Amino acid sequence: MALNPKRTVAELKELRELTSDEHGAQRVAWTDTWVRAREWFYGKLAGLPVEQHLDAAGNNWVTLAGRSKKTLLLGGHLDSVPNGGWLDGSLGVLASLEILRRFADGYDGTPPATVRLVDWADEEGARFGRSLFGSSAFAGTASIEADRGRTDREGVRLEDALRRCGVEVERIGEAGRERAGAAAYLELHIEQGPVLEGLGLPLATVLGTKGVERHAVTFLGQEAHSGSTPMGVRRDALAAAAKLALEIRPIAARHKDAVATMGSVKTFPGIVTAVVGRCEATLDQRDLDAGVLAAMHREAREASERFAREERCTVEWSRIWSIEPVPFDAELIGMARAAVREVTGADGPSLPSGPLHDAAEVSRAGVPTVMLFVQSLGGISHNKIEDTKEEYIELSVAALDRLAEKAANWIGGRGGE
Ligand SMILES: [Zn+2]
């Protein structure tokens, strides 16, 4: 069976038809619609010479045995956010399926390396707030102690929702067994940003996922009456925060691909007749380089202290969350670039990913990893208007196939077991 990227587009539309309503995709992990999406997917495996099972964390594995027991992993996620798009995650799964079919048909049924498709469980964390659930269990970075107490908006416990889907939280660590033999991981995903559209290009090689420094930044001044307090003696916490909000842009700009966002600002007492005595802001800074991330964090901190002094306030920082940058594998990056060149006739760009992906967890587990991005129209995702030109979807399947071919030979050529 030759590679048929048009079939991937048709199957993505079939899945959309089955699991969306007028507000978008509803394949939220651990819900009936998600289970229905997976059952539909199982139907697609009929007639293929593959083994299929769910691991202890609910990840779905489909294995095509090859000459080497070393395995090439191809992945994505069928789960979506509520009111999500038709491509986020599902493109990776269905493109991988098409490539699995092509491998099953070539090589007299025995590819140079064992090829495994994985549909990760609960990438989005939309219901319980725990993103990368299945891939972190695979990687051995998940701690169920931190997640056990989680509930959804209706008060349903994570533990109970998972049990309905055949997953026991006590045992999710056993998903780490699937790491045996894993020699490379490839993931195709929509970009979810505007860079490729801005360049007028369909495909990019992903260099890694950016690290994140996420902090609460609280400025403390003095509440005072808005009528009786002269401007010159005010200690306005919002004025200091506002200066920082403007300063994070030039700080990030000094570091090329870095981004910084002040996403939340709360003022106290928060009434129209009082100078702000306390301002609680959040700062989220991201970059692919750990050194750059550290420098950017330091610069923002110094700036905040300067602005606090200027406004006769004080400032306090506390870390909300952080994750280190995850650079992808240099050899696989080279193969991904070559694959993009072969299907488009030109070099594509290489970009870091701002959003986290399952690929970051797989890479943290020590499996050589790379991703491909395909252009997102308007840079929009997590929304029903999420879209990509069909011709670009087809190109992306072809590029993943070229990349999988190179990676399978690379693995198979590195000596048997
Ligand atoms: Zn995704």
Side-chain angles (χ1 to χ4, degrees):
M1 204 184 303
L3 189 79
N4 181 0
K6 285 194 193 311
R7 176 165 44 194
T8 307
V9 175
E11 288 177 338
L12 284 161
K13 288 179 178 172
E14 239 181 84
L15 179 66
R16 176 171 65 182
E17 194 62 34
L18 185 73
T19 58
S20 302
D21 59 19
E22 71 272 28
H23 305 294
Q26 305 298 345
R27 298 183 300 276
V28 177
W30 321 112
T31 65
D32 292 344
T33 306
W34 177 65
V35 171
R36 199 179 319 133
R38 281 189 150 185
E39 281 166 358
W40 168 85
F41 177 79
Y42 298 150
K44 297 286 172 189
L45 302 176
L48 282 172
V50 293
E51 180 274 338
Q52 178 271 330
H53 70 268
L54 295 183
D55 70 19
N59 301 310
N60 182 29
W61 293 91
V62 181
T63 302
L64 171 69
R67 266 204 311 281
S68 168
K69 285 199 177 115
K70 286 188 180 169
T71 61
L72 170 63
L73 311 182
L74 307 169
H77 57 94
L78 285 182
D79 76 301
S80 73
V81 295
N83 308 327
W86 68 304
L87 299 170
D88 178 355
S90 53
L91 171 62
V93 175
L94 294 170
S96 298
L97 172 63
E98 187 57 28
I99 285 147
L100 204 65
R101 288 175 177 133
R102 205 269 300 162
F103 270 100
D105 195 54
Y107 313 99
D108 296 322
T110 313
T114 296
V115 183
R116 305 186 77 195
L117 179 157
V118 55
D119 165 23
W120 300 109
D122 204 355
E123 190 272 350
E124 301 284 3
R127 184 169 167 196
F128 293 100
R130 184 16 168 140
S131 303
L132 311 181
F133 176 87
S135 54
S136 62
F138 165 88
T141 58
S143 142
I144 193 56
E145 292 317 315
D147 295 328
R148 190 196 305 273
R150 291 177 184 269
T151 55
D152 69 7
R153 260 189 233 169
E154 270 74 54
V156 176
R157 295 189 312 159
L158 175 128
E159 192 169 344
D160 297 332
L162 269 56
R163 186 169 297 125
R164 276 190 68 228
C165 297
V167 173
E168 290 296 330
V169 286
E170 304 300 333
R171 298 182 52 196
I172 63 165
E174 293 171 22
R177 288 179 193 161
E178 307 292 339
R179 293 204 299 271
Y185 175 70
L186 314 177
E187 185 174 335
L188 167 64
H189 205 281
I190 52 168
E191 182 199 345
Q192 304 176 281
V195 176
L196 279 171
E197 191 176 46
L199 293 168
L201 293 170
L203 297 169
T205 299
V206 185
L207 298 170
T209 57
K210 290 179 178 181
V212 182
E213 283 283 357
R214 192 172 294 164
H215 293 258
V217 187
T218 302
F219 290 92
L220 298 164
Q222 178 64 57
E223 286 172 29
H225 193 285
S226 65
S228 62
T229 315
M231 299 307 285
V233 301
R234 293 184 180 202
R235 300 173 56 206
D236 185 336
L238 177 59
K243 287 180 173 177
L244 181 63
L246 294 175
E247 185 65 16
I248 60 172
R249 184 188 298 253
I251 290 175
R254 282 202 285 280
H255 301 290
K256 200 170 165 269
D257 286 327
V259 288
T261 306
M262 193 181 273
S264 163
V265 177
K266 290 187 203 143
T267 58
F268 301 89
I271 56 172
V272 72
T273 52
V275 174
V276 173
R278 175 184 178 88
C279 180
E280 296 176 359
T282 60
L283 182 60
D284 177 294
Q285 297 177 296
R286 302 183 186 218
D287 194 76
L288 187 59
D289 183 304
V292 165
L293 194 58
M296 197 163 61
H297 173 224
R298 195 173 55 242
E299 288 164 25
R301 215 168 166 127
E302 283 164 6
S304 75
E305 284 157 8
R306 188 168 75 246
F307 299 140
R309 272 196 307 279
E310 286 172 10
E311 299 300 327
R312 306 193 307 131
C313 296
T314 57
V315 62
E316 290 166 4
W317 283 65
S318 79
R319 176 174 276 124
I320 298 170
W321 183 72
S322 65
I323 187 168
E324 73 274 28
V326 180
F328 290 154
D329 182 78
E331 282 196 71
L332 287 174
I333 287 172
M335 291 178 223
R337 284 193 178 119
V340 169
R341 200 180 312 124
E342 285 167 26
V343 300
T344 64
D347 285 322
S350 302
L351 311 172
S353 173
L356 285 167
H357 290 285
D358 293 309
E361 287 291 354
V362 180
S363 182
R364 288 171 79 195
V367 181
T369 293
V370 76
M371 292 181 73
L372 292 172
F373 275 166
V374 62
Q375 190 192 107
S376 292
L377 284 174
I380 306 279
S381 79
H382 285 193
N383 188 302
K384 72 169 180 180
I385 66 168
E386 168 188 292
D387 206 2
T388 295
K389 286 181 191 156
E390 287 185 19
E391 56 177 300
Y392 287 175
I393 296 176
E394 291 171 23
L395 266 184
S396 74
V397 178
L400 182 66
D401 183 57
R402 298 308 310 143
L403 172 57
E405 175 77 14
K406 292 174 201 301
N409 287 320
W410 180 58
I411 293 168
R414 282 185 303 173
E417 302 301 285

